[in-house]
Amino acid sequence: MSRIALSDIEAVQAIDRRGSFRAAAIDLGVSTTALSHTLAKFEAELGVRLFNRTTRSVSLTEAGRLFIERVSPSFQGLSDALESVRAHRDTPSGILRINAPPFAARQLLSSLIFEFLRLYPEMQVDIVTEGKLVDVVAEGFDLGARVAGLVPADMIALPLGQPQRFAVAASPDYLAKHGVPLTPGDLLAHACLRVRLPDGSLYRWHLEKQGEVVQLDVRGPLTLDEAALARDAALEGIGIGFFMEQNVAEEIRSGKLIRLLEEWTPPFPGLCLYYSGRRHPSAGLAAFLALARERSQQ
């Protein structure tokens, strides 16, 4: 048993968490072949198979399930202890894994991450962009980024101090053909680009003016779940779109899109970083959060 390394246990946890060798190998920064060899050697040391493998799936055996249940708390404690020791290094090093939707990742890159990497050249940042809300702890991320209302209640949230706004916009060509909506209710008579949320439901456009709130179940020829695609469709004159302001700011400035009902889209609490308070932060995470707090105060 002395030949079993921490990397063996980490490999088992990654395969279980991700459900595939390829995804686990990406998380661990190794090749799929190397990960497969690591697991095979580990199973040989234990004398038991931990995973059932088919060409389409990977699942825990009963022995594997028992191993994960018993070893995970101890392994987490050991990992926390190692991170506590590493936190005393003068210069943070290692990998910081962040989960964020694309618009949030762009904001983090420009406002925090580029500066963070210049300050701490021994750090690496791994960003995964996806629209759906994931369990950052279970998926192996150090922290996530979401608008304030989407941060899970059991996470510690750090507001970045930059309010967000929605923007209703359409191309000049569309408005010349179909007219300009002057009230939220007018949108119901227009072709609108519908928004599909990560859980599969359709988003009801949220408009607000001086305390009056209107939520519209708009209709239109196209339903999309990606902001860049919706922007392209609006530019082509397919319909009126509902966007995060920063996703169409340049097009509005250039006149390629015309902003509509601007008084109905007031600012709201913006982007937050969030992370688990149950784990001792690594030196890299602590340094990143300190920089984020400094920038948000400015």
Side-chain angles (χ1 to χ4, degrees):
M1 190 63 67
S2 60
R3 288 172 289 178
I4 295 176
L6 291 178
S7 57
D8 298 328
I9 302 174
E10 189 177 29
V12 175
Q13 290 185 316
I15 296 167
D16 174 50
R17 182 176 66 245
R18 300 292 279 169
S20 80
F21 277 81
R22 182 175 181 275
I26 292 173
D27 283 357
L28 296 173
V30 300
S31 69
T32 304
T33 300
L35 180 60
S36 180
H37 287 166
T38 295
L39 179 64
K41 181 181 177 182
F42 189 31
E43 288 178 325
E45 290 281 353
L46 295 174
V48 65
R49 293 184 68 86
L50 299 176
F51 290 95
N52 294 312
R53 307 167 180 79
T54 69
T55 56
R56 296 188 177 184
S57 66
V58 178
S59 61
L60 288 169
T61 62
E62 180 60 26
R65 183 190 62 77
L66 182 61
F67 177 82
I68 288 290
E69 288 179 355
R70 295 290 180 88
V71 80
S72 290
S74 299
F75 184 76
Q76 186 60 59
L78 180 57
S79 296
D80 291 344
L82 292 173
E83 289 297 345
S84 296
V85 173
R86 293 188 185 113
H88 289 276
R89 284 174 50 98
D90 293 332
T91 304
S93 63
I95 299 176
L96 191 67
R97 301 192 69 239
I98 303 174
N99 182 278
F103 83 88
R106 287 191 292 271
Q107 181 176 327
L108 289 176
L109 280 173
S110 61
S111 64
L112 284 174
I113 293 174
F114 293 150
E115 181 176 1
F116 177 73
L117 292 174
R118 285 192 287 267
L119 289 171
Y120 304 104
E122 294 185 36
M123 287 295 304
Q124 301 174 45
V125 177
D126 181 0
I127 304 176
V128 174
T129 59
E130 53 189 333
K132 66 180 181 180
L133 189 64
V134 304
D135 184 334
V136 292
V137 176
E139 295 294 328
F141 293 99
D142 295 291
L143 70 163
R146 288 294 185 277
V147 294
L150 293 179
V151 175
D154 61 343
M155 293 283 120
I156 296 176
L158 172 60
L160 293 180
Q162 299 178 3
Q164 305 288 317
R165 289 188 74 185
F166 291 120
V168 181
S171 70
D173 181 59
Y174 174 89
L175 297 174
K177 292 179 180 178
H178 303 284
V180 178
L182 301 177
T183 69
D186 293 344
L187 292 169
L188 297 176
H190 282 265
C192 294
L193 303 171
R194 308 184 78 189
V195 179
R196 187 178 303 282
L197 296 172
D199 65 3
S201 63
L202 293 175
Y203 178 71
R204 292 165 63 94
W205 290 17
H206 180 98
L207 300 169
E208 182 177 348
K209 179 181 177 182
Q210 297 177 352
E212 181 183 356
V213 176
V214 178
Q215 290 189 312
L216 297 174
D217 186 10
V218 297
R219 294 289 183 267
L222 193 58
T223 301
L224 297 161
D225 63 359
E226 218 301 308
L229 297 177
R231 182 181 61 227
D232 291 344
L235 289 169
E236 288 294 323
I238 302 301
I240 300 173
F242 191 80
F243 305 96
M244 295 298 296
E245 183 181 56
Q246 62 264 38
N247 288 335
V248 291
E250 179 58 38
E251 287 74 16
I252 291 173
R253 280 194 294 268
S254 67
K256 294 178 180 179
L257 291 176
I258 305 299
R259 188 166 192 162
L260 308 167
L261 303 170
E262 184 170 359
E263 69 276 14
W264 284 90
T265 55
F268 58 90
L271 196 65
C272 288
L273 295 174
Y274 65 96
Y275 58 98
S276 172
R278 296 191 297 271
R279 296 173 58 183
H280 184 84
S282 65
L285 176 56
F288 188 81
L289 294 173
L291 179 62
R293 291 188 184 96
E294 178 184 336
R295 290 293 169 266
S296 66
Q297 291 169 0
Q298 293 175 351

